[in-house]
Structures are given as C-alpha cells and as structure tokens.
Amino acid sequence: MGAERTPKIVGTVWGLLVLNTLGSAGAKTIVPLPRSLIQMVTMGALVAAFALALTVNLRLRIRSSAYLLLLTLLLVSSVISSVHLGFGALFRCFRLALFVGTLWLLSRWWDGGLTFVRHHIRMYFAVLGTVAAGLVVSPGAAMPDLYGGRLVGALWPLTPPQIGQYAAVIIGLTVLLLLGRRTDKVSAAVVIVPSLILLALTHTRTATLGLLLGLLLAIGSLLLTSAAARRFFTWAVACATVAAVGFASALQTWFLRGQSKENFSSLTGRAKVWDALLAAPRTTGEKFFGVGLGDKSFGGLPIDNSWLAVYNEQGLIGVALVAAIIIVLGGVALLRPPSLSRACAIFLISYCAIASYTEAGLGDASPYLLHLAVAASLLTAPAAATPLPTPQVPRPRVPRWSRKSEVA
C-alpha cells in the first residue's frame, strides 16, 4: 500500500495534544481561571485526542519508530519509579501513557512529509494569537511587574519561556518552509513578523539562542543543494554583523534583562537548585530509577533543566533513554540526504537539545516531546508502494477437435 492521505481529523488530534501540553501554571489571567478547571480542560483534551486517534485508526496500524519505542521504555521506567508514590505520580504516568499511545496511533501517517509541520505551525500560531489578544485587551496584565515586564499569557496562563518557545519554533519552521518554497512570502510574513515581536517582548534568551543556532544548523544542511538557503545565509550573516556592531549596547541590555552579573552567572538562581539536587543523598534505586514522576521541582523550586529533572524523577535509566532519543534522531537526520524535511528535523532536534539546558520537559508529556515527534515524522521513510498484482489473462478455450496433431 502506498502513502495514504492524512485525514483532517488528525489535525484536530494534534491541536488537542498541543492544548494538553500548555500546562496549568503561569501568570494571573484577566478572567481568573481556577487551576482545577484548567487541569480538567487539558486532561480532557488528551483523552479526546486519544479517543479521536483511536477512532480514525481502528485497525491499529502503526509505523515502526525508534523514537516512540524509546518513549515507551521511558514510560515503563517511569511507572516502576512511581508505583510507590501513590495516586499523583501514577496519574502522571497515566497521562504520559495516553500521550505516547496517541503518538503511536498517529504514526500511521508519518511519511517524511510536511503535514505535521504545518499542523504544528497552525496550532502554536493560534496559541500565540491568544497571547497577542491578551496584550491588546490588557497590556498591564500581559506584561506584569511580577515577571519584570516580560510578556505572559493574559487569557490563558502562559509564562514568558513558554511563549518564547512557541514563537521561536514556528518562526524557524516557517523560515525553512519559505526557503524550500513550500509557502509564499505573504503567508510567511503573517507568521514570522508577529511571532518575532512576541518573542522580543518575552525577553527569553533560551528561545532566542535555540532559534538562531537551530536555524544555523538547519540552513547549513541545505547550503550545498539550495541557492535560496545560500542567499539567506549570506544576508543573515551580514545583518547579524551590522546588528552586533551598531546595536551592541541595546542587545546587551535586552539579553541581561536588568540582572546583576552574579544573578546572570547563576542562571537566575537555577545553578543553586541544581547543586542542591546533585548533592542530595539517594539510594541505589533512586539513582537508577529516580523518585517518580512529579512537578519537575526540587525543594519547592523549579529544576529548569531537562537532564536533571529526568535524573531526579526517572534516574540514570531515564537520562540514558532521553539521551538515546536525541542521539538516534540526530544520527538519522545526519544520515538522510539533504532535503527540506531533514532541515526541519535538524532545527527541531537542535532546538530541543539547546533548550534542555535551562528548560524541563524531555521526560514527560510536553511541547518538547511534540517537537521531537514532528522531527521523527519528518525522518520516517515513506511506506513503499505495493505493486498491484498482474491480473491473469484467461487462456482461450481450444476446441477438442483442434487439439489433435495435424497430419502432414
């Protein structure tokens, strides 16, 4: 069977997965939303996503995927480490199981095409639309003093790093689609320009660095085969040089966000939490399997590092599985011939690897796992078309009298 058309309902399923990973913690919204209500909506979205994916894939056809296999092993490891913690941790395991199960069901339509890239851009652009609407309706609530004047979600509780991440990812993917001539300039500008403004208003350093370095690697993979990529790379280097020389002071001010050198060197206090986590005594079981799925915090403070969060909750086994995910996806991307799909995958993998240093999420249902799922779909080889069987031509019936041999 050849490549089949992706049903429209798959886009709905992807949107529900995006909604589930938005989370329930963040800034105060214009209309106060109880956290229990937000959690009900996000969890309901995941259940609905799984149900719809199952409905559209009743025969349970799936594609082989090293990424999903490793995620499944991570789920098993998480259950082992969480079984003694009770309802809270096991509920998080159940959520991760539904998340991974939905991705398995969607893998039927992973064919190396750009379908899921487009779904990804549309859904996160819609999320950024709510952020922009909140900024217009109530600028004070959207840029509160509590977050140092950084942009937050005023309609749905989103933090500056979340908004920066979503903006950076869709900017990078849209730039690559434009270079690959899979979208026009007007459509690309509609996505890129407002997303850049929102990214700048969040003052998110991790997202900005992830965008720049991810695009550098992705466009670099196209330089030998794309004249548009070479032109864009040349102009980008020239503009970056001019900006670095002419706007050095403004860029430094934006980058430091008014922090002292001591606060900046400790990564806004993250290093203190990391040191305390690594110094905490652990049993042999906790070292290998972790303490179970939690809220990605230690001592009441956010860990803000994917590797240490995984080490804390899923142990060294979890760290090895997450590292294997990044290595396998990166290795497959490097072995693929140059193409737009490969470039998009390299961007997403690079972004997640860079952001993992100051953001948690690689060990649980999160936008980062969705980014990597899109990368995995881009790196999946299309299903080979099965040749149609050649119909047998019926042999003409020969009369009995003609079967006798001719007498010369």
Side-chain angles (χ1 to χ4, degrees):
M1 184 180 65
E4 58 180 311
R5 187 173 183 179
T6 304
K8 292 183 178 180
I9 198 172
V10 169
T12 303
V13 174
W14 199 258
L16 291 171
L17 288 178
V18 168
L19 175 58
N20 173 254
T21 57
L22 293 182
S24 58
K28 292 182 179 180
T29 54
I30 299 173
V31 178
L33 299 174
R35 187 173 182 183
S36 57
L37 174 63
I38 298 174
Q39 290 175 333
M40 187 183 303
V41 171
T42 54
M43 191 60 199
L46 180 58
V47 174
F50 180 79
L52 288 175
L54 187 60
T55 301
V56 78
N57 191 5
L58 283 175
R59 296 186 179 180
L60 302 181
R61 294 178 179 175
I62 60 175
R63 296 291 303 274
S64 58
S65 170
Y67 170 67
L68 292 180
L69 177 60
L70 290 169
L71 269 190
T72 304
L73 294 176
L74 184 64
L75 169 63
V76 173
S77 173
S78 301
V79 172
I80 293 174
S81 64
S82 303
V83 70
H84 67 284
L85 291 180
F87 177 77
L90 291 178
F91 183 79
R92 289 187 175 92
C93 291
F94 173 70
R95 174 177 176 247
L96 181 59
L98 280 182
F99 184 86
V100 175
T102 305
L103 292 180
W104 271 115
L105 292 171
L106 295 181
S107 67
R108 172 180 177 178
W109 295 281
W110 292 5
D111 57 2
L114 299 171
T115 300
F116 285 90
V117 171
R118 298 186 185 279
H119 288 325
H120 214 53
I121 293 173
R122 291 190 192 106
M123 299 310 167
Y124 279 117
F125 188 67
V127 173
L128 293 180
T130 66
V131 176
L135 178 62
V136 172
V137 172
S138 179
M143 303 184 71
D145 294 334
L146 180 63
Y147 283 87
R150 301 169 66 191
L151 180 65
V152 300
L155 298 181
W156 184 277
L158 298 172
T159 61
Q162 284 180 282
I163 299 170
Q165 175 197 163
Y166 306 153
V169 167
I170 67 173
I171 290 169
L173 291 176
T174 306
V175 167
L176 293 174
L177 289 182
L178 181 61
L179 292 179
R181 297 180 180 178
R182 299 301 179 89
T183 188
D184 57 88
K185 295 180 180 180
V186 175
S187 299
V190 169
V191 174
I192 294 173
V193 174
S195 299
L196 274 175
I197 294 173
L198 296 181
L199 175 59
L201 291 177
T202 63
H203 286 251
T204 308
R205 295 177 294 229
T206 300
T208 304
L209 289 176
L211 170 63
L212 295 177
L213 295 178
L215 272 181
L216 178 65
L217 294 174
I219 295 175
S221 70
L222 294 172
L223 290 180
L224 296 179
T225 58
S226 171
R230 290 192 291 270
R231 288 194 300 270
F232 182 87
F233 184 81
T234 303
W235 278 104
V237 171
C239 291
T241 303
V242 172
V245 175
F247 303 96
S249 178
L251 291 174
Q252 183 179 10
T253 302
W254 182 90
F255 198 78
L256 289 176
R257 297 197 310 236
Q259 295 176 335
S260 64
K261 292 183 179 180
E262 180 182 357
N263 197 17
F264 177 73
S265 63
S266 66
L267 296 173
T268 322
R270 290 184 176 95
K272 297 178 181 178
V273 180
W274 300 346
D275 292 339
L277 186 152
L278 292 173
R282 294 175 183 272
T283 64
T284 302
E286 290 175 343
K287 287 181 179 179
F288 282 95
F289 292 98
V291 299
L293 287 185
D295 58 359
K296 313 298 176 288
S297 66
F298 182 80
L301 296 173
I303 297 175
D304 285 340
N305 179 290
S306 283
W307 304 101
L308 292 179
V310 170
Y311 171 68
N312 183 54
E313 296 184 355
Q314 290 138 310
L316 293 174
I317 293 177
V319 172
L321 289 172
V322 171
I325 288 173
I326 300 294
I327 293 172
V328 168
L329 288 177
V332 172
L334 292 177
L335 294 175
R336 289 282 189 270
S339 67
L340 179 58
S341 294
R342 178 198 187 213
C344 291
I346 289 175
F347 169 75
L348 291 169
I349 298 166
S350 304
Y351 182 90
C352 291
I354 294 166
S356 67
Y357 185 65
T358 57
E359 296 291 336
L362 287 181
D364 206 347
S366 70
Y368 291 105
L369 292 190
L370 284 182
H371 302 334
L372 293 178
V374 174
S377 75
L378 291 165
L379 297 174
T380 302
T386 304
L388 296 176
T390 304
Q392 292 184 354
V393 180
R395 297 177 62 185
R397 189 173 180 179
V398 181
R400 184 175 296 179
W401 60 267
S402 65
R403 297 177 192 171
K404 297 180 181 180
S405 56
E406 255 183 15
V407 179

